[in-house]
Amino acid sequence: GEATLFAAVTPEQLDTIVRARPALGPYHARFGLSSFVIAPLRVPGKALGTIGCSRHAGAPPLTQDDLAFLSKLADLASLALE
């Protein structure tokens, strides 16, 4: 997979996220979610997991620059985990 930016999270998308990860429900009920980025942690031939970053409701949306930064961070973290 590739790093992905969700610049504007809809209420429907937030509901889907909370249904998939119920433990996030109280946090998102309190703070909301306006945008997020997620990037894979991977080494050749193997996926290790993901790393993500989000902004609460009312905050400025994350940008392509944030996506590029998180992608680079994920690459460096993957090297450290390898």
Side-chain angles (χ1 to χ4, degrees):
E2 296 297 319
T4 305
L5 169 64
F6 297 86
V9 177
T10 67
E12 293 80 17
Q13 289 171 319
L14 183 55
D15 288 344
T16 299
I17 292 166
V18 171
R19 277 196 308 276
R21 304 274 316 269
L24 296 175
Y27 177 85
H28 291 308
R30 182 172 179 190
F31 299 106
L33 177 67
S34 66
S35 63
F36 71 96
V37 294
I38 190 164
L41 298 168
R42 59 184 171 221
V43 295
K46 185 177 177 183
L48 303 173
T50 61
I51 186 171
C53 181
S54 64
R55 291 234 169 116
H56 60 81
L62 291 163
T63 66
Q64 290 294 325
D65 288 341
D66 298 311
L67 177 65
F69 174 77
L70 192 70
S71 294
K72 186 63 173 175
L73 182 62
D75 291 343
L76 294 172
S78 296
L79 289 173
L81 293 169
E82 184 177 25

